[in-house]
Each structure stands twice: as C-alpha cells, then as structure tokens.
C-alpha cells in the first residue's frame, strides 16, 4: 500500500514537473526568444565543459605516464592550450548565464505584473466589490515572481540531470600554497562583485521615487477608487504607456551596470582559472620529476564532485518545482474571473438624442436588496433633469447602469431607442462626462490629469484654461510656478500642491468640463464649494448646459435651478416625475424636501 502511494506521488511529481516546466518555458519563449536560448544553452553547456576539462586532464596524465623517457613537450603544450580554451569558454558561459538570468528575470517579472495591470484595468467593477477577488489579486501579486522562480528551478533541474548522466556514464568506466594562491586569485573578482553590488544598490535607492511611481500606476489599476474614472475616460492606455516608458528607463539604467559588471568580472573570473592551469602544469612537472604519483585521482575526484553536486542540485530544484506548481495555479486562477459585462455591441454611439429606462430593476452583486425597482423614464435631448431623493435611494446607481458599469437585473436601458448593449462600450462612455461624487484626481501634474480625462484629443493648454475658468479655479495656475506642470500632491515631489476639498472638487469638475460635446452628469458637484464658488460655477453652467442634455444629482435643491424636470426616487422607486413648479404644487415628497431646506436657510439667514 505504502509502495503504491509512493509510486503515485512520484508520478504526480513528474507530472507537476512537466506541467510547470512547459508552462514557464512557453512563457519565457514568448517574453524573449534570445534570453531563453542563452539561458538554456548555457545551462546545458556547463556540464559538458566540466567533463571536457576533466577529460583533457586525464589525457595529460595518461600521456605523461605512458611516455616517460620519450616526452613530447609540444603535445603537452597543445593539451594545456586546449585546457585554457575550455576554461575561457567556461568563464564566458558563466558570465552569459548570470547576465541573461538577471536581465531575463526582470523581463519575466515585468511581463507578469503588466499582465495583472492590464487584467485589472478591464475587469468588471463588480469584482472590485468582491472580497474573494481582492484576496485573489493580492495573492496573485505575491506570487507574481513565480515565473522567474519556476524557470530558474526547471533549468537547474535539467542542467543537474544532464550533469549527473554524463558524470555517471563516464565514471562507470592538495598543499597550503596551492590553496592560498587560488584564494588570492579569486579575491579581485569578489572585490569587483562587491563594488557592483554597491552600485546596483545605490541605483536602486536613486530609482525609488520612480519605482514608487510604477507601483502607483499599478495601484490605480488595482484600486477601486480609480476604477470608474479609468473606465469612463478610457485613460488606461496612457497609464499603460507611461508604465512601459518609465519601466524601460529604469530597466536600461540597471541593465547598463549589469552589462559592465559582466564585462569586468569576465576578466577577473578568468584569473583563478589561469592559476588553476598553472597549478596543473606544476603538478604535471612534479609528476614528471617523480615527486607525485600518477593522477587519475584528479579525473576521478572531478567526476565524483560533479556527480555529488548534480544529485543534490536536482533534488533541491525538483522540490522547488513541486512548490512552484501551487503558486503557478494560484496566479493562473486570477484570470478565471471573466467579465460578465460583455462588450459585444457593434454600433458606434455618435450622439445621444434620448435616454430611456424601461422597467429597470437592479440588485448589486453580493447584495440581496433591490437598489432600483422597476423604474421607467424617458429623457429627451437638451432636457435638464434632476434626480432627487434621500441617501441610498438609487440615484447614483442609475448613472452606473447607464454607463454599463453594471447590467440591470431586469428591464432595458435604451439610448436613441436602442438597447445600450448594442453599442460598443468605448463609444457609449465617450458620450458622457460625469462628475462622480467620489471622483478622484490623479497624483500627477495638472496637465496629466486633464489628459487622462480626455485621452482621445491632443492635450491643449487653452482648453484646459477654459475648463479651469468654467470651474472657477483658474487661480490654480498661480499656486505654483510650474503652472500646468505642477504636481497636485506631494506624493512625488516636495513642490507639489496641496489642494483643499473644495479645490479638489473644482479641479475634478474642470476635468469633466474639458470633455466637449458630451452629455453632462453632475453628481453632488457643489458639496465642498463655498457659496461664492457655487454661485459662480452655476452661473457658468447655465451657458455650458444650454441645449445640452444634462443630468443633475444633488441634495441641495437650490442647486437645481437649472433643472426643468425633477425625478424623485425613494427606496429604488420613482415616486414623482415632473416640472419642479408642478411638483411643489403637488405637495408630496419633493415639496416636503424643498420646505425642509427652505426653512433651514431662512433660519440660518435670520440668525
Ligand atoms: N457597490 C455596491 N454594492 C452593493 N450595494 C451598493 C453598492 N453601491 C450602492 N449600493 C447600495 O445601493 C443603494 C443605492 O445606492 P446609490 O449610491 O445609488 O444611492 P444614492 O441615492 O446615490 O445615495 P446618496 O444620496 O447617498 O449618494 C444603497 O442601498 C447602497 O447601499
């Protein structure tokens, strides 16, 4: 029974080995043909060169023992030259091996992370509210280095098998001065390695700010806070490009030092090998002079050493591969989260003439409560509609469904009489400019913030200034001498701005207004604004929204002066829909809310 378990475990380990090995070699090949070839061939060449060196030694020893009294010095020199050549090839091969392993590993790590960023930018918003998905993305990030590790252990295992087999088949057929000289010969290479380790460390310290910028872009991709903005404004391309550019810059700096290190240590690493050849020559002459016994000992001890090292190396790398399998599966399982919102539409939405909700009901994923219950309304072009209702009544949910961040549980949403799923998601979202109540600005420069809001147009300073004027925040340009190139936080630079809540809101509004020819949706646009700014902005919005379909969401009913129609929501139901004057006359919920605020402002005014 025990035997059966052991055999099945052994078979399973072999299967795991093949699975991990083929997975990582396939991906490694995809990332870089050149480095995959360099790494695999260097690993395979290593045991061959070891054997060749031992073989030449044996030839020398055998020749010496067979030709005492009849000694051909030229032949010995040829063999010694061959030995030196093998040693040179070995040092070159080791340098290629180390260099290609480091550079390739960085490329593989970047490829894995880049894959996760790409995946997270496009994943359904619903997953970001899902704790299982959050656990998965965190652990997949942790296991992001799996490709590098799996490839490393697979290559070591193959090299070890090869080394073992060669030594095994062929096998089936000292002095303080020497030690000191060898130690001294190895010192310069060690000193050089230390120098380069220090320079690499110094470089990594110097790159910290930019490295953090890279991880900040990763956070934007993984973090829920930016998920809506990135999807609506389709900013992911800019973010992915700046990730690539920055990574390329940092990588090339590091690569330069690594290349130099390989060049210098190539020469220095050869030194101990030269010493070894000289010592070998000395041993040979000692044997010739009869001071030492004939040296098959070297050949045999060399082979024994190789056999020993290859066996232990194979055992440790095989164990790593089995462990890698679990981490590989965890990483791969992230990509099983497939989007439920399918982008199958083929129509390009050019202009929005009308928006219709037909008996729309909606329950958020992982929720049991209806956020919207059988709601219907039709909004015509150039109408200004305000959605009013208590907290949690479903106002923002209407906008999220309209932008296809979520799909209705039942019912239909139509634009120009056609179901919104018939349009491509890109063209649908391009038609909307939304100020979300939880809208974030990016911790980049002012200009980059505008570019991320409207990546399709060439960034234009005049349009940015116009948008800042509309949002009553033109003074942002005087807060810092860098003007539009000023950072809007101190996250990356001490010269960055610190914006107040209201200023943050004004900048976000300016970014929304920077997108022209779109439907405007303003969700609690004035919550942090001072009364003067609120007054200024709403005066300007009167012009901006003229003849433009605009949706407002606000609890401050005084803000709704621009609305010619009000839809009142309560607990996910539409309970009133009409002109504001009519709703006041009807004296129901809207009139009640209106009176609350009127009373409050009158009391404050009197006080
Ligand atoms: N991502 C989500 N997952 C689950 N439930 C959600 C989610 N977002 C909102 N809800 C729930 O849906 C309901 C409607 O929320 P919604 O944000 O649309 O309300 P709102 O009218 O905009 O509220 P407020 O005036 O506070 O902004 C609320 O009960 C809320 O708890």
């Amino acid at each position: 029974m025990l035997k059966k378990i052991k055999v099945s475990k052994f078979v399973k380990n072999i299967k795991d080995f093949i699975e991990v090995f083929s997975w990582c070699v396939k991906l490694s090949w995809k990332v870089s043909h050149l480095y995959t070839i360099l790494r695999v061939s260097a690993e395979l060449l290593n045991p061959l060169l070891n054997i060749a060196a031992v073989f030449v030694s044996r030839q020398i020893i055998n020749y010496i023992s067979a030709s005492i009294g009849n000694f051909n010095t030229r032949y010995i020199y040829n063999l010694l030259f061959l030995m030196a050549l093998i040693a040179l090839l070995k040092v070159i091969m080791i340098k290629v091996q180390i260099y290609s392993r480091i550079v390739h590993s960085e490329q593989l790590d970047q490829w894995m992370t880049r894959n996760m960023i790409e995946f997270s930018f496009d994943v359904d918003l619903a997953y970001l509210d899902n704790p299982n998905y959050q656990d998965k993305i965190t652990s997949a990030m942790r296991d992001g280095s799996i490709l590098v590790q799996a490839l490393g252990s697979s290559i070591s295992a193959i090299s070890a098998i090869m080394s073992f087999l060669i030594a095994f088949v062929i096998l089936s057929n000292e002095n303080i001065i020497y030690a000191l000289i060898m130690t001294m010969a190895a010192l310069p290479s060690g000193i050089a390695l230390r120098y380069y380790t220090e320079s690499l460390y110094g470089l990594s310290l110097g790159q910290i700010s930019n490295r953090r910028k890279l991880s900040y872009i990763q956070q934007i991709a993984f973090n829920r806070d930016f998920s809506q903005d990135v999807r609506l404004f389709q900013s992911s391309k800019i973010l992915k490009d700046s990730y690539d550019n920055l990574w390329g810059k940092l990588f090339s700096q590091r690569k330069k030092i690594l290349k130099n290190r390989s060049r210098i240590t190539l020469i220095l690493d050869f030194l101990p090998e030269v010493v070894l050849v000289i010592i070998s020559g000395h041993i040979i002459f000692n044997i010739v002079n009869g001071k030492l016994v004939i040296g098959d000992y070297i050949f045999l001890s060399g082979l024994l050493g190789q056999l020993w090292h290859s066996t232990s190396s194979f055992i440790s790398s095989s164990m790593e591969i089995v462990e890698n399998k679990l981490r590989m599966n965890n990483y791969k399982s992230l990509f099983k989260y497939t989007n439920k919102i399918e982008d199958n539409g083929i129509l390009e939405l050019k202009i929005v003439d009308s928006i219709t909700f037909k008996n729309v009901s909606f329950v958020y994923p992982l929720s049991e409560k209806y956020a919207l219950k059988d709601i219907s309304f039709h909004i015509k072009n150039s109408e200004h509609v305000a959605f009013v209702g208590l907290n949690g009544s479903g106002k923002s949910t209407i906008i999220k469904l309209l932008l296809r961040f979520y799909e209705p549980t039942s019912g239909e949403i139509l634009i120009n009489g056609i179901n919104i799923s018939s349009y491509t998601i890109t063209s649908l979202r391009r038609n909307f400019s939304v100020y979300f109540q939880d809208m974030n600005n990016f911790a980049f420069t002012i200009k980059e913030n505008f570019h991320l809001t409207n990546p399709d147009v060439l960034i234009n300073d005049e349009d940015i200034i116009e948008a800042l004027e509309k949002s009553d925040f033109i003074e942002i340009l005087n807060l810092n001498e860098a003007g539009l190139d000023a950072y809007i936080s101190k996250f990356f630079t001490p010269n960055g701005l610190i914006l107040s809540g209201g200023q943050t809101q004004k900048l976000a509004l300016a970014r929304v207004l920077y997108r022209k020819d779109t439907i405007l949706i303003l969700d609690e646009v004035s919550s942090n604004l001072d009364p003067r700014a609120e007054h200024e902005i709403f005066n300007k919005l009167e012009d901006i929204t003229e003849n433009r379909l605009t949706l407002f969401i606000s609890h401050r009913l005084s803000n709704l002066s621009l609305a010619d129609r009000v839809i009142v929501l309560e607990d996910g139901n539409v309970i009133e829909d009409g002109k504001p004057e009519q709703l006041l006359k009807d004296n129901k919920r809207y009139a009640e809310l209106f009176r609350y605020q009127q009373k409050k402002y009158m009391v404050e005014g009197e006080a």
Side-chain angles (χ1 to χ4, degrees):
M1 182 67 182
L2 196 69
K3 217 172 175 175
K4 212 171 163 186
I5 292 169
K6 274 188 181 163
V7 169
S8 68
K9 202 171 172 191
F10 180 71
V11 171
K12 190 185 170 301
N13 284 355
I14 290 183
K15 272 191 187 161
D16 287 352
F17 178 91
I18 294 168
E19 194 184 334
V20 177
F21 182 76
S22 54
W23 177 73
C24 60
V25 169
K26 214 162 81 192
L27 289 185
S28 158
W29 184 250
K30 192 171 163 181
V31 173
S32 167
H33 290 11
L34 173 72
Y35 288 121
T36 308
I37 292 170
L38 279 180
R39 290 188 68 184
V40 172
S41 46
E43 291 288 345
L44 297 182
L45 215 64
N46 191 15
L48 285 175
L49 287 175
N50 281 343
I51 292 297
V54 183
F55 191 77
V56 172
S57 309
R58 193 186 66 170
Q59 281 301 104
I60 293 170
I61 293 160
N62 285 351
Y63 178 73
I64 294 164
S65 7
S67 57
I68 293 170
N70 183 20
F71 195 73
N72 181 350
T73 339
R74 197 186 168 79
Y75 181 65
I76 289 292
Y77 281 148
N78 283 345
L79 283 174
L80 283 176
F81 176 74
L82 199 62
M83 211 167 157
L85 194 70
I86 292 169
L88 177 65
L89 277 174
K90 245 184 97 173
V91 175
I92 294 172
M93 193 215 62
I94 288 168
K95 287 299 122 187
V96 171
Q97 206 174 8
I98 293 172
Y99 171 75
S100 55
R101 190 184 61 225
I102 296 174
V103 173
H104 191 207
S105 298
E106 290 201 18
Q107 285 182 326
L108 295 175
D109 269 342
Q110 189 267 351
W111 187 87
M112 297 281 278
T113 310
R114 181 66 169 66
N115 244 6
M116 284 191 274
I117 290 180
E118 173 116 40
F119 179 79
S120 305
F121 270 137
D122 295 331
V123 83
D124 275 353
L125 221 61
Y127 286 134
L128 298 166
D129 292 324
N130 180 335
N132 295 333
Y133 174 79
Q134 293 293 350
D135 286 352
K136 183 53 73 184
I137 188 92
T138 309
S139 63
M141 273 299 286
R142 195 201 57 210
D143 288 337
S145 58
I146 176 64
L147 181 53
V148 169
Q149 287 168 12
L151 188 70
S153 20
S154 299
I155 287 178
S156 307
I158 293 295
S159 168
I161 291 172
M162 172 97 173
S163 184
F164 173 84
L165 286 176
I166 293 169
F168 186 82
V169 168
I170 298 174
L171 198 65
S172 305
N173 258 351
E174 199 140 344
N175 188 317
I176 185 73
I177 307 288
Y178 290 167
L180 284 174
I181 294 170
M182 276 307 294
T183 311
M184 301 274 282
L187 277 180
S189 147
I191 292 166
L193 266 178
R194 189 187 157 86
Y195 166 78
Y196 280 106
T197 306
E198 273 171 10
S199 359
L200 280 168
Y201 182 62
L203 179 75
S204 73
L205 285 185
Q207 288 184 337
I208 274 189
S209 165
N210 276 329
R211 292 262 167 213
R212 284 178 53 233
K213 211 166 188 169
L214 277 184
S215 67
Y216 183 66
I217 297 175
Q218 283 177 33
Q219 278 171 33
I220 294 173
F222 302 152
N223 197 315
R224 200 203 179 286
D225 293 348
F226 294 103
S227 53
Q228 294 183 158
D229 308 31
V230 170
R231 280 162 182 77
L232 171 70
F233 301 123
Q234 288 139 34
S235 331
S236 64
K237 181 162 182 335
I238 304 178
L239 292 166
K240 286 185 273 186
D241 286 349
S242 62
Y243 181 90
D244 289 343
N245 292 340
L246 195 54
W247 183 85
K249 203 168 104 193
L250 300 180
F251 177 59
S252 70
Q253 290 168 346
R254 220 175 123 66
K255 195 171 154 185
K256 204 167 140 194
I257 299 186
L258 290 169
K259 211 178 222 170
N260 284 341
R261 183 177 76 174
S262 294
R263 278 196 198 120
I264 300 294
T265 53
L266 170 79
I267 300 158
L268 297 178
D269 280 7
F270 188 51
L271 190 63
E273 301 288 351
V274 174
V275 170
L276 193 67
V277 173
I278 295 168
I279 294 174
S280 302
H282 186 245
I283 293 169
I284 292 159
F285 282 108
N286 277 339
I287 292 168
V288 171
N289 295 334
K291 287 186 185 164
L292 290 174
V293 282
I294 292 175
D296 270 348
Y297 163 79
I298 295 167
F299 183 62
L300 290 174
S301 63
L303 284 173
L304 280 167
Q306 188 162 323
L307 202 63
W308 172 49
H309 286 299
S310 56
T311 308
S312 61
S313 165
F314 178 69
I315 291 170
S316 65
S317 37
S318 305
M319 283 167 67
E320 271 169 31
I321 287 167
V322 175
E323 188 198 310
N324 286 338
K325 166 93 189 311
L326 302 173
R327 301 179 58 201
M328 177 190 83
N329 286 345
N330 183 46
Y331 174 82
K332 279 162 92 177
S333 64
L334 171 69
F335 300 91
K336 287 186 186 149
Y337 283 83
T338 49
N339 279 349
K340 305 261 186 303
I341 299 178
E342 293 173 339
D343 192 6
N344 291 338
I346 47 164
L347 299 178
E348 287 287 309
L349 180 61
K350 298 262 165 39
I351 190 158
V352 177
D353 277 328
S354 67
I355 298 171
T356 311
F357 272 54
K358 250 185 171 170
N359 307 104
V360 172
S361 296
F362 179 63
V363 182
Y364 277 99
L366 304 181
S367 172
E368 281 163 17
K369 186 177 160 276
Y370 272 88
L372 294 175
K373 293 172 201 158
D374 195 23
I375 64 163
S376 298
F377 55 79
H378 176 76
I379 300 173
K380 294 188 296 291
N381 193 8
S382 80
E383 257 189 307
H384 292 176
V385 179
F387 289 94
V388 172
L390 301 180
N391 291 131
S393 54
K395 304 177 295 290
S396 303
T397 304
I398 288 177
I399 310 305
K400 289 174 187 172
L401 294 181
L402 183 59
L403 298 170
R404 287 200 74 203
F405 289 151
Y406 300 91
E407 298 284 43
T409 309
S410 61
E412 254 194 309
I413 302 172
L414 314 169
I415 288 184
N416 307 341
I418 297 170
N419 192 306
I420 53 171
S421 61
S422 304
Y423 300 110
T424 64
I425 289 183
T426 307
S427 75
L428 170 79
R429 291 180 187 166
R430 205 180 274 141
N431 276 278
F432 291 91
S433 243
V434 186
Y435 178 90
F436 290 111
Q437 60 176 322
D438 51 358
M439 185 157 167
N440 289 298
N441 294 314
F442 299 92
F444 300 133
T445 66
I446 298 171
K447 206 183 240 176
E448 284 167 328
N449 266 281
F450 281 89
H451 192 30
L452 284 163
T453 313
N454 205 354
D456 295 336
V457 301
L458 214 63
I459 193 86
N460 177 337
D461 290 5
E462 279 168 24
D463 286 349
I464 297 178
I465 288 167
E466 191 189 320
L468 284 167
E469 272 166 351
K470 284 178 190 162
S471 76
D472 194 39
F473 197 27
I474 195 67
E475 74 263 21
I476 192 172
L477 301 179
N478 305 327
L479 299 178
N480 186 306
E481 60 200 21
L484 285 174
D485 293 318
Y487 277 81
I488 62 151
S489 82
K490 296 199 182 296
F491 199 65
F492 296 123
T493 163
N495 302 325
L497 305 172
I498 297 283
L499 300 180
S500 69
Q503 288 173 327
T504 304
Q505 194 164 10
K506 285 175 177 181
L507 177 62
L509 176 62
R511 289 172 51 219
V512 169
L513 298 178
Y514 178 66
R515 279 160 68 95
K516 294 179 177 165
D517 307 318
T518 53
I519 303 299
L520 260 186
I521 302 181
L522 304 173
D523 188 352
E524 290 300 353
V525 75
S526 63
S527 54
N528 286 317
L529 297 182
D530 62 61
R532 190 195 64 89
E534 190 174 352
H535 176 75
E536 292 289 320
I537 289 172
F538 273 86
N539 272 348
K540 285 170 187 151
L541 279 176
E542 199 164 344
D543 288 339
I544 297 165
T545 59
E546 200 179 353
N547 297 324
R548 187 174 178 184
L549 198 160
T550 311
L551 306 180
F552 297 93
I553 297 177
S554 183
H555 293 294
R556 288 201 223 180
L557 301 187
S558 55
N559 270 350
L560 302 179
S561 54
L562 299 178
D564 41 44
R565 178 177 163 195
V566 173
I567 295 177
V568 185
L569 285 148
E570 192 163 282
D571 203 16
N573 297 292
V574 171
I575 54 162
E576 286 176 77
D577 182 350
K579 289 192 180 304
E581 316 80 65
Q582 183 57 47
L583 297 189
L584 282 177
K585 273 193 212 153
D586 291 349
N587 204 16
K588 292 184 189 158
R589 176 65 85 205
Y590 178 73
E592 184 193 2
L593 293 171
F594 196 86
R595 277 199 303 274
Y596 279 141
Q597 293 204 346
Q598 200 178 32
K599 211 188 272 173
K600 180 173 183 285
Y601 287 116
M602 278 173 63
V603 170
E604 278 174 5
E606 282 161 14

